[in-house]
PDB file of all heavy atoms in Angstrom:
ATOM      1  N   ALA A 422     -87.173 -38.230  12.932  1.00 50.00           N
ATOM      2  CA  ALA A 422     -86.258 -37.374  13.666  1.00 50.00           C
ATOM      3  C   ALA A 422     -85.376 -38.213  14.596  1.00 50.00           C
ATOM      4  O   ALA A 422     -85.801 -39.222  15.151  1.00 50.00           O
ATOM      5  CB  ALA A 422     -87.040 -36.335  14.473  1.00 50.00           C
ATOM      6  N   LYS A 423     -84.149 -37.782  14.739  1.00 58.00           N
ATOM      7  CA  LYS A 423     -83.228 -38.484  15.620  1.00 58.00           C
ATOM      8  C   LYS A 423     -83.697 -38.369  17.067  1.00 58.00           C
ATOM      9  O   LYS A 423     -84.234 -37.353  17.493  1.00 58.00           O
ATOM     10  CB  LYS A 423     -81.832 -37.881  15.483  1.00 58.00           C
ATOM     11  CG  LYS A 423     -81.210 -38.064  14.104  1.00 58.00           C
ATOM     12  CD  LYS A 423     -79.833 -37.438  14.062  1.00 58.00           C
ATOM     13  CE  LYS A 423     -79.184 -37.642  12.705  1.00 58.00           C
ATOM     14  NZ  LYS A 423     -77.854 -36.983  12.633  1.00 58.00           N
ATOM     15  N   LYS A 424     -83.497 -39.464  17.823  1.00 66.00           N
ATOM     16  CA  LYS A 424     -83.863 -39.460  19.234  1.00 66.00           C
ATOM     17  C   LYS A 424     -82.831 -38.710  20.069  1.00 66.00           C
ATOM     18  O   LYS A 424     -83.153 -38.151  21.108  1.00 66.00           O
ATOM     19  CB  LYS A 424     -84.016 -40.889  19.741  1.00 66.00           C
ATOM     20  CG  LYS A 424     -85.177 -41.644  19.099  1.00 66.00           C
ATOM     21  CD  LYS A 424     -85.282 -43.047  19.653  1.00 66.00           C
ATOM     22  CE  LYS A 424     -86.448 -43.796  19.002  1.00 66.00           C
ATOM     23  NZ  LYS A 424     -86.557 -45.183  19.503  1.00 66.00           N
ATOM     24  N   ASN A 425     -81.574 -38.745  19.621  1.00 78.00           N
ATOM     25  CA  ASN A 425     -80.496 -38.029  20.274  1.00 78.00           C
ATOM     26  C   ASN A 425     -79.655 -37.348  19.207  1.00 78.00           C
ATOM     27  O   ASN A 425     -79.621 -37.775  18.059  1.00 78.00           O
ATOM     28  CB  ASN A 425     -79.615 -38.981  21.098  1.00 78.00           C
ATOM     29  CG  ASN A 425     -80.391 -39.744  22.156  1.00 78.00           C
ATOM     30  OD1 ASN A 425     -81.169 -39.169  22.895  1.00 78.00           O
ATOM     31  ND2 ASN A 425     -80.177 -41.047  22.216  1.00 78.00           N
ATOM     32  N   ILE A 426     -78.976 -36.293  19.557  1.00 85.00           N
ATOM     33  CA  ILE A 426     -78.058 -35.607  18.649  1.00 85.00           C
ATOM     34  C   ILE A 426     -76.714 -35.476  19.347  1.00 85.00           C
ATOM     35  O   ILE A 426     -76.636 -34.961  20.456  1.00 85.00           O
ATOM     36  CB  ILE A 426     -78.587 -34.221  18.238  1.00 85.00           C
ATOM     37  CG1 ILE A 426     -79.835 -34.363  17.355  1.00 85.00           C
ATOM     38  CG2 ILE A 426     -77.510 -33.422  17.506  1.00 85.00           C
ATOM     39  CD1 ILE A 426     -80.476 -33.037  16.990  1.00 85.00           C
ATOM     40  N   THR A 427     -75.669 -35.946  18.682  1.00 83.00           N
ATOM     41  CA  THR A 427     -74.330 -35.917  19.249  1.00 83.00           C
ATOM     42  C   THR A 427     -73.451 -34.936  18.488  1.00 83.00           C
ATOM     43  O   THR A 427     -73.530 -34.836  17.264  1.00 83.00           O
ATOM     44  CB  THR A 427     -73.691 -37.316  19.202  1.00 83.00           C
ATOM     45  OG1 THR A 427     -74.505 -38.230  19.942  1.00 83.00           O
ATOM     46  CG2 THR A 427     -72.288 -37.302  19.788  1.00 83.00           C
ATOM     47  N   SER A 428     -72.616 -34.236  19.202  1.00 83.00           N
ATOM     48  CA  SER A 428     -71.614 -33.363  18.600  1.00 83.00           C
ATOM     49  C   SER A 428     -70.319 -33.550  19.376  1.00 83.00           C
ATOM     50  O   SER A 428     -70.224 -33.201  20.551  1.00 83.00           O
ATOM     51  CB  SER A 428     -72.062 -31.897  18.639  1.00 83.00           C
ATOM     52  OG  SER A 428     -71.090 -31.049  18.037  1.00 83.00           O
ATOM     53  N   SER A 429     -69.315 -34.111  18.727  1.00 79.00           N
ATOM     54  CA  SER A 429     -68.048 -34.367  19.401  1.00 79.00           C
ATOM     55  C   SER A 429     -66.933 -34.459  18.372  1.00 79.00           C
ATOM     56  O   SER A 429     -67.185 -34.797  17.218  1.00 79.00           O
ATOM     57  CB  SER A 429     -68.109 -35.671  20.209  1.00 79.00           C
ATOM     58  OG  SER A 429     -68.247 -36.790  19.340  1.00 79.00           O
ATOM     59  N   LYS A 430     -65.728 -34.157  18.782  1.00 77.00           N
ATOM     60  CA  LYS A 430     -64.559 -34.260  17.914  1.00 77.00           C
ATOM     61  C   LYS A 430     -63.322 -34.516  18.767  1.00 77.00           C
ATOM     62  O   LYS A 430     -63.249 -34.101  19.916  1.00 77.00           O
ATOM     63  CB  LYS A 430     -64.344 -32.977  17.103  1.00 77.00           C
ATOM     64  CG  LYS A 430     -65.339 -32.753  15.968  1.00 77.00           C
ATOM     65  CD  LYS A 430     -64.950 -31.532  15.161  1.00 77.00           C
ATOM     66  CE  LYS A 430     -65.938 -31.305  13.989  1.00 77.00           C
ATOM     67  NZ  LYS A 430     -67.219 -30.851  14.444  1.00 77.00           N
ATOM     68  N   SER A 431     -62.377 -35.188  18.157  1.00 78.00           N
ATOM     69  CA  SER A 431     -61.054 -35.286  18.760  1.00 78.00           C
ATOM     70  C   SER A 431     -60.334 -33.959  18.559  1.00 78.00           C
ATOM     71  O   SER A 431     -60.475 -33.320  17.517  1.00 78.00           O
ATOM     72  CB  SER A 431     -60.256 -36.420  18.122  1.00 78.00           C
ATOM     73  OG  SER A 431     -60.896 -37.663  18.311  1.00 78.00           O
ATOM     74  N   PHE A 432     -59.575 -33.537  19.535  1.00 84.00           N
ATOM     75  CA  PHE A 432     -58.869 -32.264  19.441  1.00 84.00           C
ATOM     76  C   PHE A 432     -57.661 -32.381  18.522  1.00 84.00           C
ATOM     77  O   PHE A 432     -57.061 -33.455  18.370  1.00 84.00           O
ATOM     78  CB  PHE A 432     -58.408 -31.808  20.820  1.00 84.00           C
ATOM     79  CG  PHE A 432     -59.537 -31.586  21.796  1.00 84.00           C
ATOM     80  CD1 PHE A 432     -59.459 -32.063  23.093  1.00 84.00           C
ATOM     81  CD2 PHE A 432     -60.673 -30.895  21.419  1.00 84.00           C
ATOM     82  CE1 PHE A 432     -60.491 -31.864  24.000  1.00 84.00           C
ATOM     83  CE2 PHE A 432     -61.707 -30.687  22.316  1.00 84.00           C
ATOM     84  CZ  PHE A 432     -61.622 -31.172  23.604  1.00 84.00           C
ATOM     85  N   GLY A 433     -57.297 -31.259  17.933  1.00 79.00           N
ATOM     86  CA  GLY A 433     -56.108 -31.223  17.098  1.00 79.00           C
ATOM     87  C   GLY A 433     -54.824 -31.327  17.895  1.00 79.00           C
ATOM     88  O   GLY A 433     -53.761 -31.641  17.363  1.00 79.00           O
ATOM     89  N   LYS A 434     -54.895 -31.030  19.195  1.00 85.00           N
ATOM     90  CA  LYS A 434     -53.780 -31.190  20.134  1.00 85.00           C
ATOM     91  C   LYS A 434     -54.351 -31.580  21.476  1.00 85.00           C
ATOM     92  O   LYS A 434     -55.540 -31.388  21.749  1.00 85.00           O
ATOM     93  CB  LYS A 434     -52.984 -29.883  20.257  1.00 85.00           C
ATOM     94  CG  LYS A 434     -53.775 -28.751  20.877  1.00 85.00           C
ATOM     95  CD  LYS A 434     -52.887 -27.633  21.389  1.00 85.00           C
ATOM     96  CE  LYS A 434     -53.682 -26.683  22.293  1.00 85.00           C
ATOM     97  NZ  LYS A 434     -52.880 -25.756  23.030  1.00 85.00           N
ATOM     98  N   LEU A 435     -53.543 -32.152  22.333  1.00 91.00           N
ATOM     99  CA  LEU A 435     -54.008 -32.498  23.663  1.00 91.00           C
ATOM    100  C   LEU A 435     -54.266 -31.222  24.462  1.00 91.00           C
ATOM    101  O   LEU A 435     -53.483 -30.277  24.412  1.00 91.00           O
ATOM    102  CB  LEU A 435     -52.982 -33.377  24.372  1.00 91.00           C
ATOM    103  CG  LEU A 435     -52.725 -34.745  23.715  1.00 91.00           C
ATOM    104  CD1 LEU A 435     -51.597 -35.472  24.422  1.00 91.00           C
ATOM    105  CD2 LEU A 435     -53.993 -35.594  23.704  1.00 91.00           C
ATOM    106  N   VAL A 436     -55.377 -31.209  25.198  1.00 91.00           N
ATOM    107  CA  VAL A 436     -55.826 -30.008  25.902  1.00 91.00           C
ATOM    108  C   VAL A 436     -55.807 -30.244  27.413  1.00 91.00           C
ATOM    109  O   VAL A 436     -56.330 -31.246  27.895  1.00 91.00           O
ATOM    110  CB  VAL A 436     -57.246 -29.597  25.449  1.00 91.00           C
ATOM    111  CG1 VAL A 436     -57.722 -28.373  26.235  1.00 91.00           C
ATOM    112  CG2 VAL A 436     -57.273 -29.300  23.955  1.00 91.00           C
ATOM    113  N   THR A 437     -55.235 -29.305  28.118  1.00 92.00           N
ATOM    114  CA  THR A 437     -55.222 -29.353  29.585  1.00 92.00           C
ATOM    115  C   THR A 437     -55.990 -28.191  30.210  1.00 92.00           C
ATOM    116  O   THR A 437     -56.473 -28.291  31.332  1.00 92.00           O
ATOM    117  CB  THR A 437     -53.781 -29.328  30.117  1.00 92.00           C
ATOM    118  OG1 THR A 437     -53.134 -28.126  29.649  1.00 92.00           O
ATOM    119  CG2 THR A 437     -52.992 -30.535  29.625  1.00 92.00           C
ATOM    120  N   ASP A 438     -56.100 -27.095  29.490  1.00 91.00           N
ATOM    121  CA  ASP A 438     -56.702 -25.866  30.012  1.00 91.00           C
ATOM    122  C   ASP A 438     -58.224 -25.962  30.045  1.00 91.00           C
ATOM    123  O   ASP A 438     -58.863 -26.265  29.026  1.00 91.00           O
ATOM    124  CB  ASP A 438     -56.262 -24.674  29.156  1.00 91.00           C
ATOM    125  CG  ASP A 438     -56.779 -23.358  29.701  1.00 91.00           C
ATOM    126  OD1 ASP A 438     -56.304 -22.931  30.753  1.00 91.00           O
ATOM    127  OD2 ASP A 438     -57.661 -22.765  29.064  1.00 91.00           O
ATOM    128  N   LYS A 439     -58.818 -25.685  31.210  1.00 92.00           N
ATOM    129  CA  LYS A 439     -60.270 -25.791  31.349  1.00 92.00           C
ATOM    130  C   LYS A 439     -61.002 -24.786  30.479  1.00 92.00           C
ATOM    131  O   LYS A 439     -62.062 -25.084  29.928  1.00 92.00           O
ATOM    132  CB  LYS A 439     -60.667 -25.614  32.823  1.00 92.00           C
ATOM    133  CG  LYS A 439     -62.175 -25.832  33.057  1.00 92.00           C
ATOM    134  CD  LYS A 439     -62.519 -25.996  34.524  1.00 92.00           C
ATOM    135  CE  LYS A 439     -62.399 -24.714  35.278  1.00 92.00           C
ATOM    136  NZ  LYS A 439     -62.953 -24.803  36.654  1.00 92.00           N
ATOM    137  N   LYS A 440     -60.450 -23.584  30.315  1.00 90.00           N
ATOM    138  CA  LYS A 440     -61.090 -22.572  29.482  1.00 90.00           C
ATOM    139  C   LYS A 440     -61.220 -23.041  28.034  1.00 90.00           C
ATOM    140  O   LYS A 440     -62.239 -22.829  27.385  1.00 90.00           O
ATOM    141  CB  LYS A 440     -60.310 -21.248  29.551  1.00 90.00           C
ATOM    142  CG  LYS A 440     -60.988 -20.114  28.791  1.00 90.00           C
ATOM    143  CD  LYS A 440     -60.201 -18.817  28.906  1.00 90.00           C
ATOM    144  CE  LYS A 440     -60.880 -17.697  28.095  1.00 90.00           C
ATOM    145  NZ  LYS A 440     -60.087 -16.438  28.174  1.00 90.00           N
ATOM    146  N   GLU A 441     -60.171 -23.670  27.514  1.00 91.00           N
ATOM    147  CA  GLU A 441     -60.222 -24.190  26.158  1.00 91.00           C
ATOM    148  C   GLU A 441     -61.280 -25.279  26.034  1.00 91.00           C
ATOM    149  O   GLU A 441     -61.997 -25.363  25.037  1.00 91.00           O
ATOM    150  CB  GLU A 441     -58.855 -24.733  25.739  1.00 91.00           C
ATOM    151  CG  GLU A 441     -57.796 -23.652  25.539  1.00 91.00           C
ATOM    152  CD  GLU A 441     -56.470 -24.219  25.042  1.00 91.00           C
ATOM    153  OE1 GLU A 441     -56.428 -25.406  24.669  1.00 91.00           O
ATOM    154  OE2 GLU A 441     -55.481 -23.466  25.031  1.00 91.00           O
ATOM    155  N   LEU A 442     -61.388 -26.106  27.064  1.00 92.00           N
ATOM    156  CA  LEU A 442     -62.417 -27.146  27.063  1.00 92.00           C
ATOM    157  C   LEU A 442     -63.812 -26.531  27.089  1.00 92.00           C
ATOM    158  O   LEU A 442     -64.724 -27.001  26.399  1.00 92.00           O
ATOM    159  CB  LEU A 442     -62.230 -28.076  28.263  1.00 92.00           C
ATOM    160  CG  LEU A 442     -60.993 -28.981  28.244  1.00 92.00           C
ATOM    161  CD1 LEU A 442     -60.838 -29.689  29.590  1.00 92.00           C
ATOM    162  CD2 LEU A 442     -61.093 -30.013  27.121  1.00 92.00           C
ATOM    163  N   MET A 443     -63.995 -25.476  27.861  1.00 91.00           N
ATOM    164  CA  MET A 443     -65.273 -24.776  27.919  1.00 91.00           C
ATOM    165  C   MET A 443     -65.653 -24.231  26.548  1.00 91.00           C
ATOM    166  O   MET A 443     -66.802 -24.338  26.111  1.00 91.00           O
ATOM    167  CB  MET A 443     -65.208 -23.640  28.943  1.00 91.00           C
ATOM    168  CG  MET A 443     -65.201 -24.074  30.399  1.00 91.00           C
ATOM    169  SD  MET A 443     -66.828 -24.675  30.922  1.00 91.00           S
ATOM    170  CE  MET A 443     -66.540 -24.899  32.699  1.00 91.00           C
ATOM    171  N   ASN A 444     -64.674 -23.632  25.855  1.00 90.00           N
ATOM    172  CA  ASN A 444     -64.926 -23.103  24.512  1.00 90.00           C
ATOM    173  C   ASN A 444     -65.322 -24.217  23.546  1.00 90.00           C
ATOM    174  O   ASN A 444     -66.239 -24.068  22.738  1.00 90.00           O
ATOM    175  CB  ASN A 444     -63.691 -22.382  23.982  1.00 90.00           C
ATOM    176  CG  ASN A 444     -63.462 -21.045  24.648  1.00 90.00           C
ATOM    177  OD1 ASN A 444     -64.339 -20.503  25.321  1.00 90.00           O
ATOM    178  ND2 ASN A 444     -62.270 -20.491  24.483  1.00 90.00           N
ATOM    179  N   ALA A 445     -64.604 -25.342  23.631  1.00 91.00           N
ATOM    180  CA  ALA A 445     -64.897 -26.469  22.745  1.00 91.00           C
ATOM    181  C   ALA A 445     -66.313 -26.994  22.987  1.00 91.00           C
ATOM    182  O   ALA A 445     -67.076 -27.204  22.036  1.00 91.00           O
ATOM    183  CB  ALA A 445     -63.872 -27.581  22.949  1.00 91.00           C
ATOM    184  N   ILE A 446     -66.672 -27.184  24.256  1.00 92.00           N
ATOM    185  CA  ILE A 446     -68.002 -27.681  24.598  1.00 92.00           C
ATOM    186  C   ILE A 446     -69.078 -26.715  24.114  1.00 92.00           C
ATOM    187  O   ILE A 446     -70.132 -27.122  23.608  1.00 92.00           O
ATOM    188  CB  ILE A 446     -68.112 -27.931  26.120  1.00 92.00           C
ATOM    189  CG1 ILE A 446     -67.342 -29.186  26.510  1.00 92.00           C
ATOM    190  CG2 ILE A 446     -69.569 -28.034  26.559  1.00 92.00           C
ATOM    191  CD1 ILE A 446     -67.920 -30.475  25.961  1.00 92.00           C
ATOM    192  N   ALA A 447     -68.846 -25.410  24.255  1.00 91.00           N
ATOM    193  CA  ALA A 447     -69.804 -24.405  23.788  1.00 91.00           C
ATOM    194  C   ALA A 447     -69.987 -24.488  22.280  1.00 91.00           C
ATOM    195  O   ALA A 447     -71.100 -24.360  21.767  1.00 91.00           O
ATOM    196  CB  ALA A 447     -69.346 -23.009  24.205  1.00 91.00           C
ATOM    197  N   ASN A 448     -68.900 -24.693  21.541  1.00 89.00           N
ATOM    198  CA  ASN A 448     -68.984 -24.826  20.089  1.00 89.00           C
ATOM    199  C   ASN A 448     -69.742 -26.081  19.679  1.00 89.00           C
ATOM    200  O   ASN A 448     -70.589 -26.045  18.784  1.00 89.00           O
ATOM    201  CB  ASN A 448     -67.573 -24.835  19.477  1.00 89.00           C
ATOM    202  CG  ASN A 448     -67.026 -23.436  19.259  1.00 89.00           C
ATOM    203  OD1 ASN A 448     -67.244 -22.830  18.218  1.00 89.00           O
ATOM    204  ND2 ASN A 448     -66.314 -22.914  20.254  1.00 89.00           N
ATOM    205  N   TYR A 449     -69.448 -27.200  20.329  1.00 91.00           N
ATOM    206  CA  TYR A 449     -70.157 -28.438  20.012  1.00 91.00           C
ATOM    207  C   TYR A 449     -71.645 -28.314  20.331  1.00 91.00           C
ATOM    208  O   TYR A 449     -72.495 -28.786  19.576  1.00 91.00           O
ATOM    209  CB  TYR A 449     -69.559 -29.612  20.789  1.00 91.00           C
ATOM    210  CG  TYR A 449     -68.090 -29.870  20.528  1.00 91.00           C
ATOM    211  CD1 TYR A 449     -67.307 -30.566  21.451  1.00 91.00           C
ATOM    212  CD2 TYR A 449     -67.468 -29.403  19.377  1.00 91.00           C
ATOM    213  CE1 TYR A 449     -65.963 -30.804  21.225  1.00 91.00           C
ATOM    214  CE2 TYR A 449     -66.113 -29.631  19.149  1.00 91.00           C
ATOM    215  CZ  TYR A 449     -65.362 -30.324  20.084  1.00 91.00           C
ATOM    216  OH  TYR A 449     -64.037 -30.556  19.866  1.00 91.00           O
ATOM    217  N   THR A 450     -71.948 -27.658  21.455  1.00 91.00           N
ATOM    218  CA  THR A 450     -73.341 -27.470  21.860  1.00 91.00           C
ATOM    219  C   THR A 450     -74.089 -26.593  20.855  1.00 91.00           C
ATOM    220  O   THR A 450     -75.234 -26.876  20.496  1.00 91.00           O
ATOM    221  CB  THR A 450     -73.414 -26.850  23.262  1.00 91.00           C
ATOM    222  OG1 THR A 450     -72.703 -27.673  24.186  1.00 91.00           O
ATOM    223  CG2 THR A 450     -74.860 -26.700  23.722  1.00 91.00           C
ATOM    224  N   THR A 451     -73.433 -25.544  20.388  1.00 89.00           N
ATOM    225  CA  THR A 451     -74.040 -24.646  19.409  1.00 89.00           C
ATOM    226  C   THR A 451     -74.410 -25.392  18.129  1.00 89.00           C
ATOM    227  O   THR A 451     -75.500 -25.228  17.585  1.00 89.00           O
ATOM    228  CB  THR A 451     -73.078 -23.489  19.080  1.00 89.00           C
ATOM    229  OG1 THR A 451     -72.794 -22.750  20.281  1.00 89.00           O
ATOM    230  CG2 THR A 451     -73.693 -22.541  18.057  1.00 89.00           C
ATOM    231  N   LYS A 452     -73.509 -26.245  17.652  1.00 88.00           N
ATOM    232  CA  LYS A 452     -73.779 -27.019  16.439  1.00 88.00           C
ATOM    233  C   LYS A 452     -74.912 -28.014  16.660  1.00 88.00           C
ATOM    234  O   LYS A 452     -75.774 -28.192  15.799  1.00 88.00           O
ATOM    235  CB  LYS A 452     -72.505 -27.739  15.992  1.00 88.00           C
ATOM    236  CG  LYS A 452     -71.426 -26.803  15.468  1.00 88.00           C
ATOM    237  CD  LYS A 452     -70.150 -27.537  15.112  1.00 88.00           C
ATOM    238  CE  LYS A 452     -69.089 -26.549  14.605  1.00 88.00           C
ATOM    239  NZ  LYS A 452     -67.806 -27.214  14.304  1.00 88.00           N
TER     240      LYS A 452
END
């Protein structure tokens, strides 16, 4: 089993809005 699990991606566009970042982090965390 992996000791750590990473979920990350580069965005399709540059993001400034905190809400969008929150959504992205929630999606990565879910996966």
Side-chain angles (χ1 to χ4, degrees):
K423 295 180 179 178
K424 294 181 180 179
N425 302 313
I426 292 176
T427 301
S428 181
S429 66
K430 287 185 179 71
S431 299
F432 299 135
K434 65 162 193 168
L435 297 174
V436 178
T437 59
D438 184 70
K439 185 166 72 170
K440 185 179 178 182
E441 290 183 10
L442 291 172
M443 287 287 187
N444 287 346
I446 286 293
N448 276 272
Y449 301 158
T450 303
T451 300
K452 291 177 181 177

